[in-house]
């Protein structure tokens, strides 16, 4: 194993000892001369890659001055040098995180002209850079370091002016992620709160609620970095921190994030930016000093911080639980029938944009949905909420016409299992029992029984225990269904002979759901037929001996992806 050079002399000796088949004599001379101008600390950086086979490429990309502006470098090679040291243990305290983010061990790749300009202006700043062949990472880093006064000028008058230079620096994140062998497929969204198409006109019981943060960076459907942009001003940065605290006050759910101890945030205003961290319960803490991107030194530091953020995000993605249906914060998920779901910390907001039209189409009412959710609060097998309301909304640019929006804030979050056809029977037993207990609770509602009407395996969530969600189709019983009307998974046996949906219809649909499994035993098939017979109530079926039998789990256990 070749020892890593730790001084300039050792680095030069390493270069001259290489076979001519690896480096031609003229290349050795050029690289040795370039190394001779460096300090020991800088020389060590060229050997940070884990494999000696990568050192030569790094040296050639970093130090070969002649004609570099015309050569092509590999983004993967450059990313490997910047991200060479994997993060095995996350920084714990604020001071540790600051030291991690402001670590400048890895040099930044730039093209010849800015390197020469920076070196002539301040040789110490040039030590943080190295000459690289042309690649996307070099281009975005160079562009970030050479941002014009037109972009960074102090005359910014809107949040979007701040966001524009933030977006320029974010290209460093994106380029590194694309080239990183351990890339996390990052997705960035900007000033999403500026693009809302409707707003609340009449104050609701819950108020408007916290708006979205301006910037969300997500990877593998996990929101991992949040940012808030403000206009330049004496209190612009303070206002950004204040907004971050308010908008992220609910923290983030352990269900999706597991043991991840904190997420990253930034606050920006005018030409200033500062980083911080969000703790699970919603506390926001500032980390490190304020950077002023009008200063070249701070622009270099900001690029270093972004490199180290990518390293940390890779660790977060590896640490997160491997479950289905992880949802990024503040990213609305469009669902059928004008429904939109948005995860906001430890709660989720479900909205139906035109609830009057929705109720007219499906023949039910807000009162039925409200009654269903009130029942759910006392039932462990149903989704829970903090608010169920109808609010008035008006479209921007409209003639003032009002509509009503149904909003439900759900405080119990869960994930879905794999396809109903492939899950083991023991999983189906647990889901079936939860659905029966949930429906039994709804059927016992006073003064009117409530039916769920949309019992399907896709509407069973896990946290990790199963519970029944999606109460937006709940109806008071009995519900006289319009001719030729069907919801998903209904069949000719769902309604009674008079065309009504009754509590027995819910029980029937649970039987339909159970029969979709390919792994039922004879006992399971018999129980499903009993449910479809409509001769047993949900409350009694929930205590059936079949649901108490501890059927062994199939090989591989629960399918969670």
């Amino acid at each position: 194993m070749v020892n890593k050079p730790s001084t300039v002399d050792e680095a030069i000796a390493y270069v001259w000892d290489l076979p001519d088949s690896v480096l031609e004599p003229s290349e050795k001379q050029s690289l040795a001369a370039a190394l001779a101008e460096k300090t020991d600390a800088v020389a060590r950086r060229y050997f940070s890659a884990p494999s000696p086979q990568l050192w030569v490429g790094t040296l050639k990309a970093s130090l070969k001055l002649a004609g570099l502006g015309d050569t092509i470098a590999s983004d993967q090679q450059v990313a490997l040098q910047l991200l060479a040291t994997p993060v095995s243990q996350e920084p714990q305290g604020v001071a540790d995180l600051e030291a991690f983010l402001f670590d400048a061990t890895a040099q930044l790749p730039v093209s010849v002209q800015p390197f020469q300009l920076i070196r002539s202006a301040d040789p110490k700043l040039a030590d943080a850079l190295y000459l690289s062949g042309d690649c996307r990472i070099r281009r975005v880093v160079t562009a970030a370091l050479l941002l014009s006064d037109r972009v960074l000028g102090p005359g910014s008058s809107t949040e979007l002016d701040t966001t524009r230079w933030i977006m320029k620096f974010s290209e460093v994140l994106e380029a590194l992620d694309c080239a990183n062998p351990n890339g996390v497929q990052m997705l960035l969204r900007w000033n999403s709160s500026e693009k809302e198409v409707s707003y609340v006109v009449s104050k609701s019981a819950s108020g408007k609620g916290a708006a979205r943060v301006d910037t969300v960076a997500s990877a593998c459907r996990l929101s991992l970095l949040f940012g808030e942009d403000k206009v330049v001003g004496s209190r612009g940065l303070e206002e950004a921190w204040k907004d971050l605290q308010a908008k992220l006050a609910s923290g983030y759910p352990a269900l999706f994030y597991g043991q991840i101890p904190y997420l990253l945030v930034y606050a920006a205003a005018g030409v200033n930016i500062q980083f911080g961290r969000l703790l699970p319960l919603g506390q926001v803490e500032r980390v490190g000093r304020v950077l002023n991107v009008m200063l070249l030194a701070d622009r270099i530091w900001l690029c270093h911080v972004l490199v180290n953020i990518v390293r940390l995000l890779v660790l977060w993605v590896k640490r997160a639980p491997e479950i289905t249906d992880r949802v990024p914060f503040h990213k609305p998920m469009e669902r059928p029938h004008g429904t939109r779901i948005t995860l906001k910390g430890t709660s989720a907001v479900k909205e139906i944009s035109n609830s009057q039209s929705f109720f007219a189409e499906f023949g039910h009412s807000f009162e039925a949905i409200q009654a269903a959710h009130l029942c759910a609060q006392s039932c462990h097998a149903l989704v829970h909420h903090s608010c169920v309301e109808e609010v008035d909304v008006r479209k921007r640019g409209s003639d003032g016409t009002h509509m009503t929006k149904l909003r439900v804030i759900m405080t119990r979050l869960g994930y879905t299992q794999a396809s109903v056809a492939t899950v083991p029977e023991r999983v189906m037993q647990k889901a079936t029992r939860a659905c029966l207990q949930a429906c039994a609770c709804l059927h016992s509602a006073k003064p009117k029984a409530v039916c769920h009407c949309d019992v399907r395996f896709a509407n069973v969530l896990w946290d990790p225990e199963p519970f029944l969600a999606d109460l937006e189709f709940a109806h008071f019983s009995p519900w006289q269904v319009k001719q030729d009307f069907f919801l998903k998974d209904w069949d000719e046996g769902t309604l009674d002979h008079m065309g009504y949906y009754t509590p027995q219809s819910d029980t029937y649909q649970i039987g339909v759901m159970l029969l979709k499994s390919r792994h039922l035993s004879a006992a399971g098939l018999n129980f499903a037929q009993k449910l479809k017979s409509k001769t047993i109530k949900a409350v009694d079926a929930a205590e059936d001996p079949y649901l108490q039998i501890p059927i062994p789990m199939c090989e591989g256990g629960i399918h969670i992806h």
Side-chain angles (χ1 to χ4, degrees):
M1 178 68 183
V2 180
N3 291 327
K4 235 180 225 191
S6 59
T7 67
V8 169
D9 290 341
E10 290 177 5
I12 292 173
Y14 168 80
V15 168
W16 282 113
D17 288 343
L18 288 169
D20 289 349
S21 59
V22 176
L23 273 180
E24 296 179 2
S26 60
E27 291 179 309
K28 293 180 184 181
Q29 185 174 0
S30 176
L31 292 178
L35 279 168
E37 298 179 1
K38 304 298 181 182
T39 64
D40 290 344
V42 171
R44 283 194 288 272
R45 296 173 182 170
Y46 302 131
F47 301 91
S48 59
S51 169
Q53 287 77 15
L54 301 173
W55 295 346
V56 174
T58 300
L59 286 166
K60 292 172 71 173
S62 305
L63 298 171
K64 192 174 179 183
L65 307 184
L68 265 179
D70 300 321
T71 63
I72 303 298
S74 162
D75 274 304
Q76 287 71 28
Q77 179 69 45
V78 173
L80 186 60
Q81 177 177 334
L82 288 168
L83 308 171
T85 307
V87 183
S88 57
Q89 179 65 42
E90 71 277 349
Q92 295 296 320
V94 169
D96 292 337
L97 181 57
E98 178 182 3
F100 173 84
L101 292 178
F102 285 81
D103 178 13
T105 300
Q107 290 178 295
L108 302 170
V110 293
S111 55
V112 175
Q113 183 179 8
F115 180 82
Q116 292 174 338
L117 288 172
I118 293 169
R119 186 169 62 175
S120 62
D122 190 336
K124 290 184 178 180
L125 289 182
D127 285 345
L129 313 172
Y130 78 94
L131 282 163
S132 165
D134 186 42
C135 63
R136 183 189 174 198
I137 295 176
R138 187 194 78 168
R139 291 194 295 272
V140 298
V141 169
T142 300
L145 297 184
L146 299 181
L147 283 182
S148 66
D149 291 342
R150 180 177 57 83
V151 178
L152 295 174
S156 300
S157 58
T158 70
E159 289 183 15
L160 289 176
D161 291 323
T162 301
T163 300
R164 286 188 185 98
W165 68 257
I166 291 286
M167 291 175 70
K168 285 292 183 183
F169 279 93
S170 77
E171 292 176 6
V172 176
L173 279 177
E174 295 171 317
L176 279 170
D177 181 51
C178 289
N180 182 10
N182 299 311
V184 293
Q185 298 181 328
M186 203 177 308
L187 297 174
L188 292 158
R189 293 188 295 111
W190 306 103
N191 255 339
S192 54
S193 60
E194 297 289 315
K195 300 173 183 177
E196 288 293 293
V197 295
S198 64
Y199 59 95
V200 178
V201 175
S202 61
K203 184 173 179 61
S204 63
S206 64
K208 286 187 179 182
R212 303 175 193 173
V213 289
D214 290 332
T215 301
V216 180
S218 301
C220 299
R221 293 182 293 176
L222 282 172
S223 296
L224 299 170
L225 169 68
F226 305 97
E228 190 69 18
D229 305 339
K230 291 296 180 185
V231 298
V232 65
S234 60
R235 290 190 51 80
L237 203 60
E238 291 302 317
E239 288 299 318
W241 282 115
K242 181 179 177 181
D243 276 8
L244 278 173
Q245 182 64 77
K247 295 176 181 181
L248 300 174
S250 59
Y252 56 91
L255 175 70
F256 297 152
Y257 289 83
Q259 299 303 308
I260 294 177
Y262 53 82
L263 305 178
L264 298 175
V265 299
Y266 78 80
V271 294
N272 296 321
I273 185 170
Q274 187 178 21
F275 289 88
R277 65 179 190 171
L278 170 68
L279 301 179
L281 297 181
Q283 305 97 317
V284 173
E285 298 177 336
R286 305 185 196 193
V287 176
R289 64 184 180 87
V290 177
L291 297 175
N292 180 345
V293 294
M294 289 294 289
L295 304 175
L296 174 60
D298 280 4
R299 295 204 292 274
I300 292 174
W301 275 118
L302 179 51
C303 287
H304 280 301
V305 170
L306 296 175
V307 168
N308 293 320
I309 283 175
V310 173
R311 295 172 59 212
L312 192 57
L313 295 192
V314 171
L315 177 65
W316 282 172
V317 169
K318 292 178 179 178
R319 288 276 184 89
E322 294 185 1
I323 61 177
T324 61
D325 283 0
R326 288 193 302 222
V327 181
F329 282 20
H330 304 288
K331 182 180 180 181
M333 296 181 297
E334 303 296 337
R335 292 291 188 260
H337 313 298
T339 302
R340 169 185 286 187
I341 302 174
T342 307
L343 179 64
K344 295 188 175 181
T346 54
S347 63
V349 179
K350 178 179 282 189
E351 296 175 316
I352 297 178
S353 57
N354 188 341
S355 55
Q356 290 174 327
S357 175
F358 176 77
F359 294 146
E361 180 180 358
F362 295 102
H364 61 334
S365 64
F366 170 73
E367 289 72 23
I369 294 174
Q370 187 177 48
H373 278 282
L374 289 174
C375 283
Q377 291 299 89
S378 60
C379 180
H380 71 278
L382 278 164
V383 67
H384 297 162
H385 75 281
S386 64
C387 177
V388 181
E389 61 186 358
E390 274 193 296
V391 295
D392 290 335
V393 297
R394 185 178 72 236
K395 290 284 185 180
R396 288 180 177 172
S398 71
D399 58 2
T401 303
H402 283 215
M403 296 189 304
T404 57
K405 175 191 291 187
L406 173 66
R407 176 188 290 138
V408 179
I409 301 178
M410 298 170 290
T411 55
R412 186 178 184 183
L413 304 179
Y415 55 88
T416 61
Q417 291 279 3
S419 168
V420 63
T422 60
V423 295
E425 184 170 15
R426 182 57 184 153
V427 175
M428 288 303 301
Q429 281 182 303
K430 295 179 72 173
T432 299
R433 190 164 191 260
C435 289
L436 288 167
Q437 292 171 333
C439 288
C441 177
L442 296 174
H443 299 167
S444 65
K446 303 295 182 182
K448 292 182 179 180
V450 176
C451 297
H452 186 281
C453 303
D454 194 25
V455 181
R456 296 180 286 122
F457 192 72
N459 289 338
V460 178
L461 302 182
W462 303 72
D463 68 350
E465 294 303 312
F467 62 96
L468 187 59
D470 291 280
L471 301 178
E472 285 65 50
F473 287 101
H475 282 69
F476 288 124
S477 178
W479 168 27
Q480 186 168 20
V481 179
K482 293 183 292 187
Q483 189 173 4
D484 298 326
F485 178 89
F486 281 85
L487 289 178
K488 191 170 184 179
D489 287 356
W490 285 15
D491 61 27
E492 65 279 356
T494 300
L495 307 180
D496 68 11
H497 67 284
M498 297 293 291
Y500 284 94
Y501 194 104
T502 68
Q504 287 71 33
S505 301
D506 272 343
T507 308
Y508 179 93
Q509 288 305 121
I510 297 172
V512 171
M513 178 188 77
L514 184 57
L515 285 174
K516 288 183 177 292
S517 172
R518 298 174 185 168
H519 302 296
L520 291 186
S521 61
L525 291 170
N526 289 335
F527 183 65
Q529 293 301 335
K530 183 190 294 187
L531 296 176
K532 292 185 67 177
S533 71
K534 296 187 176 180
T535 59
I536 185 171
K537 294 182 178 180
V539 64
D540 297 323
E543 302 304 319
D544 191 272
Y546 165 71
L547 297 178
Q548 320 307 321
I549 300 173
I551 294 176
M553 189 73 71
C554 296
E555 183 178 352
I558 297 179
H559 295 269
I560 302 178
H561 300 285

